[in-house]
Amino acid sequence: MTDQSRTTPAPRVLVVGAGPTGLLLAGDLALAGVPVTLVEKRPRKISNLSRAFVLHARTLEQFDARGIAEDIEATGRRLADIGLFGRLFVRLGELPSRFNHLLVVPQYEVEKLLLRRAEEAGVTLRYDTEVTGLAQDGEGVTLTVRGPGGEESEPLRAEYAVGTDGMRSAVRRAVGLPFPGRSVIRSVVLADVRLGEEPEQLLTVRANGEAFAFLAPFGDGYHRMIGWHRDRDVPDTAPLGLDEVKEITRLALDRDYDMREARWMSRFHSDERQAPRYRVGRVLLAGDAAHVHSPAGGQGMNTGLQDAANLGWKLAAVLHGHAGPALLDTYHAERHPVGRSVLRSSGGIVRLAMARRPWTRALRAGLTTFLDHCGPARRRLAGQVTGIHYAYAAPRGAHRLTGTRVPDLALAGGTRLYAALRGGRFVLVLPRGEEAPGTAGRADRLAVRHWASARRTALLVRPDGYTAWAADAPASAAQWETVLTTHVGPAGTGGEGAEIAERSA
């Protein structure tokens, strides 16, 4: 519901920031039966000023688990390889995923899809609303806000608040969290340009010691150009003209593709920063509010969307009484190391791409040769850039699969795992012919399926597609009850949650 004049349930979660991360999170919560209000400082409009242009395999898998992967793929174009620097390409055809490709799609198309989903799910949207203060207590969080024209509005209150409001997050500042780090590259040029000559590649990326340039199509006749010139270290506010954009493009790509006009140009600086904590009491951070890094590898928007996928089901479980608040601590424990790893890998890519000294250029050449000839290392790099590689820490003594990403398994009856995940529930995959006691009382949170193959492993898959628990031997009734209570929550009647899960499936 988006009309604020109608009667809406009091929100249980306030999400601040209507970019891709906030939209996905709010939609997930609403579909799980959690009343949520999404607060956005900007007026209602999808901006074309984004820097993100790609969706990676793990993000597409998360979209598949929500039934929207086909929709977003229809708006983008597939790419089989990612060029990082020099002759180094990440080959995506080897990925163990249905989405063994890169999807080139502007961020605004992602936002359109996620906004439509959030609205259909019943998210309350508050545009032109700026957060000016935050206070929390043992019962919830209160946001002081300013409406259109700068007038103070009635405070907003909910049990939890999530800051998805970007690098300059008002929520992060309000809870007193630092954002340590530094600027990696200054005076990066952004421009939306019309080209007289179409580039040979869908994505054109090249760097040398003096400059780099990136070209990607919007699909409307314009291309986004991102570039940098070592000798143009000027403030973000310095004037920018088309001649400078063309010069940088020629320095990096050896040609400017007959650039003829620009409808928009700007400068920015690329930072590497990460909040030390993603949770402070009843306030959590996700996306760029929690971590920012260089655009190398196109990992920024993807990492934020995967933050949302991790957090949404946990907040819903706590608010529905299926788990204690300590479950929210696992959000930081799982996603903070991933954010740190992305920060390091993207920073490493950009530093090698911009290598100028002989020893760093030799290192880059050696790394390229090594990856060309070492399949396991090449596949690991592909898995890290695309998000497929990441796994979460498992308790000591847990099954080897615990915490790992689960691929799209073939299930009995011609179905598959990620279709079964579309209800936002856990999925218990059992050997053929076996059943587990205690599942019927958790139908609002748990779907039971069987392997299509003769595999004998029992696998409990979390709503975000990671293994919660696994066993290779049959379990007793008491063991099943412990497993299901620990991960899915106590048995109950289900009620509205069951109806929502069935409607979403």
Side-chain angles (χ1 to χ4, degrees):
M1 185 176 298
T2 59
D3 186 344
Q4 296 169 37
S5 65
R6 301 178 188 176
T7 301
T8 58
R12 303 191 70 185
V13 178
L14 298 168
V15 178
V16 181
T21 302
L23 288 166
L24 181 65
L25 176 62
D28 282 359
L29 289 167
L31 285 168
V34 176
V36 56
T37 294
L38 183 56
V39 179
E40 171 55 52
K41 179 180 178 181
R42 299 171 299 173
R44 183 187 175 102
K45 140 174 139 168
I46 298 294
S47 171
N48 72 340
L49 304 185
S50 62
R51 300 166 202 163
F53 262 83
V54 299
L55 290 179
H56 283 302
R58 186 56 184 151
T59 302
L60 290 169
E61 289 180 343
Q62 295 290 359
F63 279 27
D64 190 24
R66 290 156 177 80
I68 56 175
E70 290 185 3
D71 294 335
I72 197 63
E73 290 236 299
T75 68
R77 297 167 68 183
R78 297 183 179 189
L79 193 65
D81 304 317
I82 310 171
L84 296 182
F85 50 76
R87 295 181 295 104
L88 179 59
F89 286 83
V90 177
R91 311 294 180 186
L92 303 178
E94 300 176 345
L95 285 176
S97 172
R98 293 181 72 236
F99 303 97
N100 56 348
H101 55 268
L102 183 77
L103 188 69
V104 180
V105 57
Q107 179 176 324
Y108 63 77
E109 294 289 355
V110 178
E111 291 187 5
K112 285 180 187 176
L113 175 64
L114 295 178
L115 175 60
R116 182 171 70 246
R117 175 177 179 262
E119 289 182 312
E120 291 173 352
V123 173
T124 299
L125 296 161
R126 292 277 302 262
Y127 288 96
D128 282 308
T129 303
E130 180 183 3
V131 172
T132 58
L134 180 152
Q136 61 174 313
D137 52 41
E139 302 296 323
V141 182
T142 301
L143 299 181
T144 54
V145 296
R146 195 159 45 211
E151 75 278 7
E152 291 294 326
S153 299
E154 184 177 347
L156 302 175
R157 175 79 175 174
E159 293 169 62
Y160 289 92
V162 184
T164 61
D165 50 339
M167 177 179 171
R168 296 174 179 83
S169 170
V171 173
R172 188 187 62 242
R173 291 197 304 268
V175 295
L177 279 177
F179 206 36
R182 64 190 184 90
S183 293
V184 184
I185 311 174
R186 291 176 52 83
S187 197
V188 180
V189 168
L190 287 178
D192 295 348
V193 295
R194 188 180 291 278
L195 305 179
E197 303 170 11
E198 190 69 19
E200 297 82 1
Q201 305 292 328
L202 180 58
L203 287 185
T204 304
V205 186
R206 193 184 301 168
N208 53 49
E210 303 304 320
F212 76 70
F214 165 94
L215 287 173
F218 277 103
D220 63 355
Y222 283 85
H223 281 67
R224 166 60 53 83
M225 183 275 188
I226 304 176
W228 174 83
H229 184 195
R230 187 181 297 276
D231 294 335
R232 288 289 294 166
D233 187 5
V234 299
D236 293 351
T237 55
L240 175 62
L242 183 60
D243 286 344
E244 182 179 344
V245 175
K246 294 171 70 172
E247 178 189 5
I248 294 172
T249 307
R250 286 194 298 268
L251 281 170
L253 304 181
D254 298 327
R255 55 193 292 199
D256 62 20
Y257 296 94
D258 191 19
M259 283 185 190
R260 297 180 177 179
E261 63 177 280
R263 64 183 177 188
W264 174 81
M265 293 181 289
S266 183
R267 299 182 193 273
F268 76 99
H269 59 277
S270 178
D271 285 6
E272 291 179 351
R273 300 183 186 277
Q274 186 178 31
R277 287 184 289 163
Y278 287 7
R279 181 189 180 194
V280 178
R282 290 177 172 269
V283 179
L284 301 107
L285 301 176
D288 286 357
H291 48 76
V292 294
H293 42 80
S294 86
Q299 300 172 79
M301 176 171 64
N302 291 270
T303 305
L305 288 166
Q306 291 159 41
D307 289 345
N310 184 288
L311 179 57
W313 70 268
K314 294 176 179 179
L315 269 172
V318 171
L319 289 166
H320 287 319
H322 304 318
L327 178 64
L328 299 178
D329 290 331
T330 68
Y331 167 66
H332 169 88
E334 292 178 347
R335 294 304 301 173
H336 193 274
V338 173
R340 183 171 61 245
S341 179
V342 171
L343 190 143
R344 290 173 177 171
S345 65
S346 63
I349 291 169
V350 78
R351 287 171 177 82
L352 286 173
M354 303 313 301
R356 181 167 63 168
R357 296 182 177 88
W359 71 270
T360 52
R361 295 174 71 88
L363 175 63
R364 185 177 71 186
L367 178 61
T368 300
T369 301
F370 170 71
L371 290 171
D372 280 343
H373 293 86
C374 182
R378 187 174 63 249
R379 288 188 290 272
R380 183 179 178 87
L381 175 63
Q384 185 165 359
V385 170
T386 62
I388 294 292
H389 159 77
Y390 290 110
Y392 300 138
R396 179 171 296 182
H399 191 278
R400 66 187 182 281
L401 294 177
T402 302
T404 61
R405 162 195 160 267
V406 185
D408 194 18
L409 308 172
L411 304 177
T415 60
R416 56 190 183 86
L417 175 63
Y418 279 72
L421 286 169
R422 289 178 184 174
R425 294 172 288 181
F426 285 81
V427 176
L428 178 60
V429 184
L430 295 171
R432 287 184 294 183
E434 290 191 11
E435 299 297 335
T439 59
R442 298 173 170 90
D444 59 324
R445 292 155 277 153
L446 177 66
V448 180
R449 301 290 187 268
H450 294 85
W451 292 96
S453 68
R455 187 166 178 177
R456 305 306 296 170
T457 302
L459 196 66
L460 181 62
V461 184
R462 302 178 351 178
D464 59 352
Y466 291 83
T467 305
W469 171 89
D472 296 316
S476 67
Q479 289 171 323
W480 274 121
E481 185 60 28
T482 298
V483 168
L484 294 177
T485 299
T486 298
H487 296 287
V488 185
T493 57
E496 181 187 1
E499 294 174 9
I500 291 169
E502 290 300 330
R503 190 165 64 245
S504 304

Coordinates of all heavy atoms in Angstrom, one line a residue, residues 74-123:
A74 N 15.0 -10.4 -18.8 CA 14.3 -9.9 -20.0 C 14.7 -8.5 -20.3 O 14.6 -8.0 -21.5 CB 12.8 -10.1 -19.9
T75 N 15.2 -7.8 -19.3 CA 15.5 -6.4 -19.5 C 17.0 -6.2 -19.8 O 17.5 -5.0 -20.1 CB 15.1 -5.5 -18.3 OG1 16.0 -5.9 -17.2 CG2 13.7 -5.7 -17.9
G76 N 17.8 -7.2 -19.6 CA 19.3 -7.1 -19.7 C 19.8 -7.9 -20.8 O 19.1 -8.5 -21.6
R77 N 21.2 -7.9 -20.9 CA 21.9 -8.7 -21.9 C 23.0 -9.5 -21.3 O 23.7 -9.0 -20.4 CB 22.5 -7.7 -23.0 CG 21.4 -6.9 -23.7 CD 22.0 -5.8 -24.5 NE 22.8 -6.2 -25.6 CZ 23.5 -5.4 -26.4 NH1 23.4 -4.1 -26.2 NH2 24.2 -5.9 -27.4
R78 N 23.1 -10.7 -21.7 CA 24.0 -11.7 -21.1 C 25.5 -11.5 -21.6 O 25.7 -11.2 -22.8 CB 23.6 -13.1 -21.3 CG 22.3 -13.5 -20.7 CD 21.9 -14.9 -20.9 NE 20.7 -15.3 -20.2 CZ 20.2 -16.5 -20.1 NH1 21.0 -17.5 -20.6 NH2 19.1 -16.8 -19.5
L79 N 26.4 -11.7 -20.7 CA 27.8 -11.6 -21.1 C 28.5 -12.9 -20.5 O 28.3 -13.2 -19.3 CB 28.4 -10.4 -20.5 CG 29.8 -9.9 -21.1 CD1 29.7 -9.6 -22.6 CD2 30.3 -8.7 -20.3
A80 N 29.3 -13.5 -21.3 CA 29.9 -14.8 -20.8 C 31.2 -14.6 -20.0 O 31.6 -15.5 -19.3 CB 30.2 -15.7 -22.0
D81 N 31.9 -13.4 -20.2 CA 33.2 -13.2 -19.5 C 33.2 -11.8 -19.0 O 32.5 -10.9 -19.4 CB 34.4 -13.3 -20.5 CG 34.4 -14.7 -21.2 OD1 34.2 -15.7 -20.6 OD2 34.6 -14.7 -22.5
I82 N 34.1 -11.6 -17.9 CA 34.3 -10.3 -17.3 C 35.8 -10.0 -17.5 O 36.6 -10.7 -17.1 CB 34.0 -10.3 -15.8 CG1 32.7 -10.9 -15.5 CG2 34.1 -8.9 -15.3 CD1 32.5 -11.1 -14.0
G83 N 36.1 -8.9 -18.2 CA 37.4 -8.4 -18.3 C 37.8 -7.6 -17.1 O 37.1 -6.6 -16.8
L84 N 38.9 -8.0 -16.4 CA 39.3 -7.2 -15.2 C 40.5 -6.3 -15.5 O 40.4 -5.1 -15.2 CB 39.7 -8.2 -14.1 CG 38.6 -9.1 -13.6 CD1 39.1 -10.0 -12.5 CD2 37.4 -8.3 -13.1
F85 N 41.5 -6.8 -16.1 CA 42.6 -5.9 -16.6 C 43.5 -6.7 -17.5 O 43.6 -7.9 -17.5 CB 43.5 -5.4 -15.4 CG 43.9 -6.5 -14.4 CD1 44.9 -7.3 -14.7 CD2 43.3 -6.6 -13.2 CE1 45.3 -8.3 -13.8 CE2 43.7 -7.6 -12.3 CZ 44.7 -8.4 -12.6
G86 N 44.2 -6.0 -18.4 CA 45.1 -6.6 -19.4 C 44.4 -7.8 -20.1 O 43.3 -7.7 -20.6
R87 N 45.0 -9.0 -20.0 CA 44.4 -10.2 -20.7 C 43.7 -11.0 -19.7 O 43.3 -12.2 -20.0 CB 45.6 -11.0 -21.3 CG 46.3 -10.3 -22.4 CD 47.4 -11.2 -23.0 NE 48.5 -11.4 -22.1 CZ 48.6 -12.6 -21.4 NH1 47.8 -13.6 -21.6 NH2 49.6 -12.7 -20.6
L88 N 43.4 -10.5 -18.5 CA 42.7 -11.3 -17.5 C 41.2 -11.2 -17.6 O 40.6 -10.2 -17.5 CB 43.1 -10.9 -16.1 CG 42.5 -11.7 -14.9 CD1 42.8 -13.2 -15.1 CD2 42.9 -11.2 -13.6
F89 N 40.6 -12.4 -17.9 CA 39.2 -12.5 -18.0 C 38.6 -13.5 -17.1 O 39.3 -14.6 -16.9 CB 38.7 -12.8 -19.5 CG 38.9 -11.7 -20.5 CD1 40.1 -11.5 -21.0 CD2 37.8 -10.9 -20.8 CE1 40.3 -10.4 -22.0 CE2 38.0 -9.9 -21.7 CZ 39.2 -9.6 -22.3
V90 N 37.5 -13.2 -16.4 CA 36.8 -14.2 -15.6 C 35.8 -15.0 -16.5 O 34.9 -14.3 -17.0 CB 36.1 -13.6 -14.4 CG1 35.4 -14.6 -13.6 CG2 37.1 -12.8 -13.5
R91 N 36.1 -16.3 -16.7 CA 35.2 -17.1 -17.6 C 34.0 -17.6 -16.7 O 34.2 -18.3 -15.8 CB 36.0 -18.2 -18.1 CG 37.3 -17.8 -18.8 CD 37.2 -17.0 -20.0 NE 38.5 -16.6 -20.6 CZ 38.6 -15.8 -21.6 NH1 37.6 -15.2 -22.1 NH2 39.8 -15.5 -22.0
L92 N 32.8 -17.2 -17.1 CA 31.7 -17.5 -16.3 C 31.0 -18.8 -16.7 O 30.1 -19.3 -16.0 CB 30.7 -16.3 -16.3 CG 31.3 -15.0 -15.9 CD1 30.2 -13.9 -16.0 CD2 31.8 -15.1 -14.5
G93 N 31.3 -19.3 -17.9 CA 30.7 -20.5 -18.3 C 30.9 -21.7 -17.4 O 30.2 -22.7 -17.4
E94 N 32.0 -21.7 -16.6 CA 32.3 -22.8 -15.7 C 31.6 -22.7 -14.4 O 31.7 -23.6 -13.5 CB 33.8 -22.8 -15.4 CG 34.7 -22.9 -16.7 CD 36.2 -22.8 -16.4 OE1 36.5 -22.4 -15.3 OE2 37.0 -23.2 -17.2
L95 N 30.9 -21.6 -14.1 CA 30.2 -21.5 -12.8 C 29.2 -22.6 -12.6 O 28.4 -22.9 -13.5 CB 29.4 -20.1 -12.8 CG 30.3 -18.9 -12.5 CD1 29.3 -17.6 -12.6 CD2 31.0 -18.9 -11.2
P96 N 29.1 -23.2 -11.4 CA 28.1 -24.2 -11.1 C 26.8 -23.6 -10.7 O 26.3 -23.6 -9.6 CB 28.7 -24.9 -9.9 CG 29.5 -23.8 -9.2 CD 30.1 -22.9 -10.3
S97 N 26.1 -22.9 -11.7 CA 24.9 -22.2 -11.5 C 24.1 -22.2 -12.8 O 24.6 -22.2 -13.9 CB 25.2 -20.7 -11.1 OG 24.1 -19.9 -11.0
R98 N 22.8 -22.1 -12.6 CA 21.9 -21.9 -13.8 C 22.2 -20.5 -14.5 O 21.9 -20.3 -15.7 CB 20.4 -21.9 -13.4 CG 19.9 -23.2 -12.9 CD 18.4 -23.1 -12.5 NE 17.6 -23.0 -13.7 CZ 16.7 -22.0 -13.9 NH1 16.6 -21.0 -13.1 NH2 16.0 -22.0 -15.0
F99 N 22.8 -19.6 -13.7 CA 23.1 -18.3 -14.2 C 24.6 -18.1 -14.4 O 25.3 -17.3 -13.8 CB 22.6 -17.2 -13.2 CG 21.1 -17.4 -13.0 CD1 20.6 -18.1 -11.9 CD2 20.2 -16.9 -13.9 CE1 19.3 -18.2 -11.7 CE2 18.8 -17.0 -13.7 CZ 18.3 -17.7 -12.6
N100 N 25.1 -18.9 -15.3 CA 26.6 -18.9 -15.6 C 26.9 -17.8 -16.6 O 27.5 -18.1 -17.6 CB 27.1 -20.3 -16.0 CG 26.4 -20.8 -17.3 OD1 25.3 -20.2 -17.7 ND2 26.9 -21.8 -17.9
H101 N 26.6 -16.6 -16.2 CA 26.8 -15.5 -17.1 C 26.7 -14.2 -16.2 O 26.2 -14.3 -15.1 CB 25.8 -15.4 -18.2 CG 24.4 -15.4 -17.8 ND1 23.7 -16.6 -17.7 CD2 23.5 -14.4 -17.4 CE1 22.4 -16.3 -17.2 NE2 22.3 -15.0 -17.1
L102 N 27.1 -13.1 -16.8 CA 26.9 -11.8 -16.2 C 25.7 -11.2 -16.9 O 25.5 -11.3 -18.1 CB 28.1 -10.9 -16.4 CG 28.2 -9.5 -15.9 CD1 28.5 -9.6 -14.4 CD2 29.3 -8.7 -16.6
L103 N 24.8 -10.5 -16.2 CA 23.7 -9.8 -16.8 C 24.0 -8.3 -16.8 O 24.1 -7.7 -15.7 CB 22.4 -10.1 -16.0 CG 21.1 -9.5 -16.7 CD1 20.9 -10.3 -18.0 CD2 19.9 -9.6 -15.8
V104 N 24.1 -7.7 -17.9 CA 24.3 -6.3 -18.1 C 23.0 -5.6 -18.1 O 22.2 -5.7 -19.0 CB 25.1 -6.0 -19.4 CG1 25.3 -4.5 -19.5 CG2 26.4 -6.7 -19.4
V105 N 22.7 -4.9 -17.0 CA 21.4 -4.2 -16.8 C 21.6 -3.0 -15.9 O 22.2 -3.1 -14.9 CB 20.4 -5.2 -16.2 CG1 20.8 -5.8 -14.9 CG2 19.0 -4.5 -16.1
P106 N 21.1 -1.8 -16.3 CA 21.3 -0.6 -15.5 C 20.6 -0.8 -14.2 O 19.5 -1.4 -14.1 CB 20.7 0.5 -16.3 CG 20.7 0.0 -17.7 CD 20.5 -1.5 -17.6
Q107 N 21.1 -0.1 -13.2 CA 20.5 -0.2 -11.8 C 19.1 0.2 -11.8 O 18.3 -0.3 -11.1 CB 21.4 0.6 -10.8 CG 20.8 0.6 -9.4 CD 21.7 1.4 -8.5 OE1 22.9 1.3 -8.6 NE2 21.1 2.1 -7.5
Y108 N 18.7 1.2 -12.7 CA 17.4 1.7 -12.6 C 16.4 0.7 -13.0 O 15.2 0.7 -12.6 CB 17.2 3.0 -13.4 CG 17.4 2.9 -14.9 CD1 16.5 2.4 -15.7 CD2 18.6 3.5 -15.5 CE1 16.7 2.3 -17.1 CE2 18.8 3.4 -16.8 CZ 17.8 2.8 -17.7 OH 18.0 2.8 -19.0
E109 N 16.8 -0.3 -13.9 CA 15.9 -1.4 -14.2 C 15.7 -2.3 -13.0 O 14.6 -2.8 -12.8 CB 16.4 -2.2 -15.4 CG 16.5 -1.4 -16.7 CD 15.1 -1.1 -17.3 OE1 14.1 -1.7 -16.8 OE2 15.0 -0.4 -18.3
V110 N 16.7 -2.5 -12.3 CA 16.6 -3.4 -11.1 C 15.7 -2.7 -10.1 O 14.8 -3.3 -9.5 CB 18.0 -3.6 -10.4 CG1 17.9 -4.4 -9.1 CG2 18.9 -4.3 -11.4
E111 N 15.8 -1.3 -9.9 CA 15.0 -0.6 -9.0 C 13.5 -0.6 -9.4 O 12.6 -0.8 -8.6 CB 15.5 0.8 -8.8 CG 16.8 0.9 -8.1 CD 17.2 2.4 -7.8 OE1 16.4 3.3 -8.1 OE2 18.3 2.6 -7.3
K112 N 13.3 -0.5 -10.7 CA 11.9 -0.6 -11.2 C 11.2 -1.9 -10.8 O 10.1 -1.9 -10.3 CB 11.8 -0.4 -12.7 CG 12.1 1.0 -13.3 CD 12.0 0.9 -14.8 CE 12.4 2.2 -15.4 NZ 12.4 2.1 -16.9
L113 N 11.9 -3.0 -11.0 CA 11.4 -4.3 -10.7 C 11.1 -4.5 -9.2 O 10.1 -4.9 -8.8 CB 12.4 -5.4 -11.2 CG 12.0 -6.8 -10.9 CD1 10.7 -7.2 -11.6 CD2 13.1 -7.8 -11.3
L114 N 12.1 -4.1 -8.4 CA 12.0 -4.3 -7.0 C 11.0 -3.3 -6.4 O 10.3 -3.7 -5.4 CB 13.4 -4.1 -6.3 CG 14.4 -5.1 -6.7 CD1 15.7 -4.8 -6.0 CD2 14.0 -6.5 -6.3
L115 N 10.8 -2.1 -7.0 CA 9.8 -1.2 -6.5 C 8.4 -1.8 -6.8 O 7.5 -1.8 -5.9 CB 9.9 0.1 -7.2 CG 8.8 1.2 -6.9 CD1 8.8 1.5 -5.4 CD2 9.1 2.5 -7.7
R116 N 8.2 -2.3 -8.0 CA 6.9 -2.9 -8.3 C 6.6 -4.1 -7.3 O 5.4 -4.2 -6.8 CB 6.9 -3.4 -9.7 CG 5.6 -4.0 -10.2 CD 5.5 -4.2 -11.7 NE 6.4 -5.3 -12.1 CZ 7.5 -5.2 -12.8 NH1 7.8 -4.0 -13.2 NH2 8.2 -6.2 -13.2
R117 N 7.6 -4.9 -7.1 CA 7.4 -6.0 -6.2 C 7.0 -5.5 -4.8 O 6.1 -6.1 -4.1 CB 8.7 -6.9 -6.1 CG 8.7 -8.0 -5.1 CD 10.0 -8.8 -5.3 NE 10.1 -9.9 -4.3 CZ 10.7 -9.9 -3.2 NH1 11.4 -8.7 -2.8 NH2 10.8 -10.9 -2.4
A118 N 7.8 -4.5 -4.3 CA 7.5 -4.0 -2.9 C 6.1 -3.4 -2.8 O 5.4 -3.6 -1.8 CB 8.5 -2.9 -2.6
E119 N 5.7 -2.7 -3.8 CA 4.3 -2.1 -3.8 C 3.3 -3.2 -3.8 O 2.3 -3.1 -3.1 CB 4.1 -1.1 -5.0 CG 4.9 0.1 -4.9 CD 4.7 1.1 -6.0 OE1 4.8 0.6 -7.2 OE2 4.4 2.3 -5.7
E120 N 3.5 -4.2 -4.7 CA 2.5 -5.3 -4.7 C 2.4 -6.1 -3.4 O 1.4 -6.6 -3.1 CB 2.8 -6.2 -5.9 CG 2.6 -5.6 -7.3 CD 3.1 -6.4 -8.4 OE1 3.8 -7.5 -8.1 OE2 2.9 -6.1 -9.6
A121 N 3.5 -6.1 -2.7 CA 3.6 -6.8 -1.4 C 2.9 -6.0 -0.3 O 2.7 -6.5 0.8 CB 5.0 -7.2 -1.0
G122 N 2.7 -4.7 -0.5 CA 2.0 -3.9 0.5 C 3.0 -3.0 1.3 O 2.6 -2.5 2.4
V123 N 4.2 -2.8 0.8 CA 5.1 -1.9 1.5 C 4.5 -0.4 1.5 O 4.1 0.0 0.5 CB 6.5 -1.9 0.9 CG1 7.4 -0.8 1.5 CG2 7.1 -3.3 1.0

